[in-house]
Amino acid sequence: MALDQSFVGRTYPPTEPYEVGREKIREFAEAVGDANPAYTDTEAARALGHPDVIAPPTFVFAITFKAAGQVVADPQLGLDYSRVVHGDQKFAYNRPVRAGDRLTVTSTIETIRRMAGNDILDIRGEVHDQNGEHVVTAWTKLVARAAEEA
């Protein structure tokens, strides 16, 4: 069954703050194989004009995807998550994520469309810091595959 188009534009409450730690940034940078010293060395980050280490660009995926879980778990939407694959991800930054940031994410359903029996859902996550400053916008595309015919 197709997802309800009336959900387009629906915004979900902000998440609880996620505190960005130096160790989490280091672990993420190592996991993705990015040796940029600004991710692990405070002095290197300061030399680039940052107050502390910064996170690799895709670091926020973990918190924005978790925030998109509010959409996925909405029983009124009726999304069958067992059929979902991650279709795309993109980010638009105002500034880098920094150690010490306390980030919240507000998710909004931007589009719902149907193509070849699949439901395609675009979710925009607006990420703000503890001061209310907009840090980054993340777009997540989810594809709910069509049910297989018996």
Coordinates of all heavy atoms in Angstrom, one line a residue, residues 22-40 54-56 58-59:
R22 N 35.4 14.2 21.6 CA 36.6 14.0 20.9 C 36.9 12.5 20.5 O 37.3 12.2 19.4 CB 37.8 14.5 21.7 CG 37.9 16.0 21.7 CD 39.3 16.4 22.4 NE 39.2 17.8 22.7 CZ 39.2 18.2 23.9 NH1 39.3 17.4 25.0 NH2 39.1 19.5 24.1
E23 N 36.6 11.6 21.5 CA 36.9 10.2 21.2 C 36.0 9.7 20.1 O 36.4 8.9 19.3 CB 36.8 9.4 22.5 CG 37.1 8.0 22.4 CD 38.6 7.7 22.0 OE1 39.4 8.6 22.1 OE2 38.9 6.6 21.7
K24 N 34.7 10.1 20.2 CA 33.8 9.6 19.1 C 34.2 10.1 17.7 O 34.2 9.3 16.8 CB 32.3 10.1 19.4 CG 31.7 9.4 20.5 CD 31.3 8.0 20.1 CE 30.5 7.3 21.2 NZ 30.3 5.9 20.9
I25 N 34.7 11.3 17.7 CA 35.2 11.8 16.4 C 36.4 11.0 15.9 O 36.5 10.6 14.8 CB 35.5 13.3 16.5 CG1 34.3 14.2 16.7 CG2 36.3 13.8 15.3 CD1 34.5 15.6 17.0
R26 N 37.4 10.8 16.9 CA 38.6 10.0 16.5 C 38.2 8.6 16.0 O 38.7 8.2 15.0 CB 39.5 9.9 17.7 CG 40.8 9.2 17.4 CD 41.6 8.8 18.6 NE 40.9 7.9 19.5 CZ 40.7 6.6 19.2 NH1 41.2 6.0 18.1 NH2 40.1 5.8 20.1
E27 N 37.3 8.0 16.8 CA 36.9 6.6 16.4 C 36.2 6.6 15.0 O 36.5 5.7 14.2 CB 35.9 6.1 17.4 CG 36.5 5.7 18.7 CD 35.4 5.4 19.8 OE1 34.2 5.6 19.6 OE2 35.8 4.9 20.9
F28 N 35.4 7.6 14.7 CA 34.7 7.7 13.4 C 35.7 7.9 12.3 O 35.7 7.3 11.3 CB 33.7 8.8 13.4 CG 32.8 8.8 12.2 CD1 31.7 8.0 12.1 CD2 33.2 9.6 11.1 CE1 30.9 8.0 10.9 CE2 32.4 9.6 9.9 CZ 31.3 8.8 9.8
A29 N 36.7 8.9 12.5 CA 37.7 9.2 11.5 C 38.5 7.9 11.2 O 38.8 7.6 10.1 CB 38.6 10.3 12.0
E30 N 38.9 7.2 12.3 CA 39.6 5.9 12.1 C 38.8 4.9 11.3 O 39.3 4.2 10.4 CB 40.1 5.3 13.4 CG 41.2 6.1 14.0 CD 41.7 5.5 15.4 OE1 41.1 4.5 15.8 OE2 42.6 6.1 16.0
A31 N 37.5 4.8 11.6 CA 36.6 3.8 11.0 C 36.5 4.1 9.5 O 36.4 3.1 8.7 CB 35.3 3.8 11.7
V32 N 36.5 5.4 9.1 CA 36.3 5.7 7.7 C 37.6 5.9 7.0 O 37.7 6.2 5.8 CB 35.4 6.9 7.5 CG1 34.0 6.6 8.0 CG2 36.0 8.2 8.1
G33 N 38.7 5.7 7.8 CA 40.1 5.8 7.2 C 40.5 7.2 6.8 O 41.3 7.4 5.9
D34 N 40.0 8.2 7.5 CA 40.4 9.6 7.2 C 41.4 10.1 8.3 O 41.1 10.3 9.4 CB 39.2 10.5 7.2 CG 39.4 11.8 6.6 OD1 40.6 12.3 6.7 OD2 38.5 12.4 6.0
A35 N 42.6 10.3 7.8 CA 43.7 10.6 8.8 C 43.9 12.2 8.9 O 45.0 12.6 9.4 CB 45.0 10.0 8.3
N36 N 43.0 13.0 8.5 CA 43.1 14.4 8.7 C 43.3 14.7 10.1 O 42.5 14.4 11.0 CB 41.8 15.1 8.2 CG 41.8 16.6 8.2 OD1 42.5 17.2 9.0 ND2 41.0 17.2 7.4
P37 N 44.4 15.4 10.4 CA 44.8 15.7 11.8 C 43.8 16.6 12.5 O 43.7 16.6 13.8 CB 46.2 16.3 11.8 CG 46.4 16.8 10.4 CD 45.5 15.9 9.5
A38 N 43.0 17.4 11.8 CA 42.0 18.2 12.4 C 40.9 17.4 13.1 O 40.2 17.9 14.0 CB 41.3 19.1 11.4
Y39 N 40.8 16.1 12.8 CA 39.9 15.2 13.5 C 40.4 14.6 14.8 O 39.6 14.1 15.5 CB 39.5 14.1 12.5 CG 38.9 14.5 11.2 CD1 39.0 13.7 10.1 CD2 38.2 15.7 11.0 CE1 38.5 14.1 8.8 CE2 37.7 16.1 9.8 CZ 37.9 15.3 8.7 OH 37.4 15.7 7.5
T40 N 41.7 14.7 15.0 CA 42.2 14.0 16.2 C 43.2 14.8 17.0 O 43.5 14.5 18.1 CB 43.0 12.7 15.7 OG1 44.0 13.1 14.8 CG2 42.1 11.7 15.1
I54 N 37.4 18.8 14.9 CA 36.1 18.8 14.1 C 35.9 17.4 13.6 O 36.8 16.5 13.6 CB 36.2 19.8 12.9 CG1 37.3 19.4 12.0 CG2 36.3 21.2 13.4 CD1 37.3 20.2 10.7
A55 N 34.7 17.1 13.2 CA 34.3 15.8 12.8 C 34.3 15.7 11.3 O 34.0 16.7 10.6 CB 32.8 15.5 13.3
P56 N 34.6 14.5 10.7 CA 34.5 14.3 9.3 C 33.0 14.6 8.8 O 32.1 14.5 9.6 CB 34.8 12.8 9.1 CG 35.6 12.4 10.3 CD 35.0 13.3 11.4
T58 N 30.7 13.2 7.2 CA 29.6 12.2 7.3 C 29.3 11.8 8.7 O 28.4 11.0 9.0 CB 29.9 10.9 6.4 OG1 31.2 10.4 6.8 CG2 29.9 11.3 5.0
F59 N 30.0 12.3 9.7 CA 29.9 12.0 11.1 C 28.4 12.2 11.6 O 27.9 11.3 12.3 CB 30.8 12.9 12.0 CG 30.6 12.6 13.5 CD1 31.4 11.6 14.1 CD2 29.8 13.4 14.2 CE1 31.3 11.4 15.4 CE2 29.7 13.2 15.6 CZ 30.5 12.2 16.2

